[in-house]
């Protein structure tokens, strides 16, 4: 039997992160008010196996754990994901990343179907066994 992800609000995550919590595994979060994560620093956060429908534009998420996350609505700009782990992510919908820093990231077995990377830093990014079906790399 599969356990249902715990649904939390953006405000709850941000307040728990502010007091030192970093482990947010197996949550579901939808930024329905759009933009509450923009520009925030969530470095070191663990979102493994979570469902994310949020806007991380301008956010700092260095050394974050996104392993096996499922993404909806991801059109992110100028975010810093350097050193993060995206192993096995599933982007459920077309994702667009513009001017993001993905240096030193791990994308093993990631499903990047129809994703677009525009002017992103992919220095030392590891894409072993990733699904690049219809991926667009530009810039």
């Amino acid at each position: 039997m599969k356990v249902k992800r715990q649904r939390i609000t953006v405000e709850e995550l941000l307040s728990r992160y502010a007091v030192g919590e970093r482990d947010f595994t197996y949550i579901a979060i939808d930024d329905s008010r759009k933009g509450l994560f923009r520009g925030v620093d969530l470095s070191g956060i663990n979102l493994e196996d979570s469902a994310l429908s949020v806007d991380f534009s301008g956010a700092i998420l260095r050394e974050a754990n996104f392993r096996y996350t499922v993404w909806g609505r991801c059109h992110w700009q100028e975010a810093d994901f350097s050193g993060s782990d995206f192993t096995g992510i599933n982007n459920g919908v077309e994702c667009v990343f513009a001017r993001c820093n993905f240096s030193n990231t791990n994308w093993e077995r990631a499903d990047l179907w129809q994703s677009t990377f525009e002017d992103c830093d992919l220095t030392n990014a590891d894409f072993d066994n990733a699904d690049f079906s219809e991926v667009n790399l530009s810039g």
Side-chain angles (χ1 to χ4, degrees):
M1 179 172 90
K2 191 163 184 164
V3 178
K4 188 174 180 180
R5 287 184 175 98
Q6 175 191 5
R7 184 164 297 281
I8 67 170
T9 65
V10 175
E11 293 89 349
E12 179 182 353
L13 184 145
L14 291 174
S15 68
R16 288 167 53 186
Y17 185 92
V19 296
E21 188 172 344
R22 297 296 180 264
D23 188 2
F24 296 93
T25 56
Y26 219 71
I27 63 165
I29 192 161
D30 184 353
D31 186 0
S32 60
R33 294 196 316 201
K34 298 182 182 170
L36 294 178
F37 281 123
R38 285 183 174 201
V40 299
D41 187 341
L42 297 172
S43 293
I45 195 167
N46 180 4
L47 292 164
E48 186 167 344
D49 216 354
S50 292
L52 308 173
S53 189
V54 300
D55 183 358
F56 283 130
S57 292
I60 301 168
L61 292 119
R62 295 182 193 117
E63 304 291 328
N65 181 358
F66 291 97
R67 293 172 64 91
Y68 306 105
T69 53
V70 177
W71 297 350
R73 283 196 326 258
C74 51
H75 290 81
W76 304 335
Q77 301 175 38
E78 299 172 356
D80 184 356
F81 296 98
S82 56
S84 293
D85 189 349
F86 297 95
T87 298
I89 64 102
N90 183 339
N91 68 340
V93 295
E94 171 187 353
C95 289
V96 177
F97 309 107
R99 298 171 307 284
C100 292
N101 182 356
F102 291 114
S103 62
N104 302 303
T105 52
N106 184 1
W107 298 82
E108 271 187 76
R109 298 179 309 280
D111 181 353
L112 297 166
W113 176 76
Q114 290 191 338
S115 292
T116 299
F117 292 85
E118 297 174 1
D119 296 317
C120 292
D121 183 351
L122 298 170
T123 306
N124 296 320
D126 180 357
F127 290 97
D128 275 354
N129 299 309
D131 180 357
F132 265 82
S133 301
E134 302 179 46
V135 169
N136 180 14
L137 298 171
S138 62

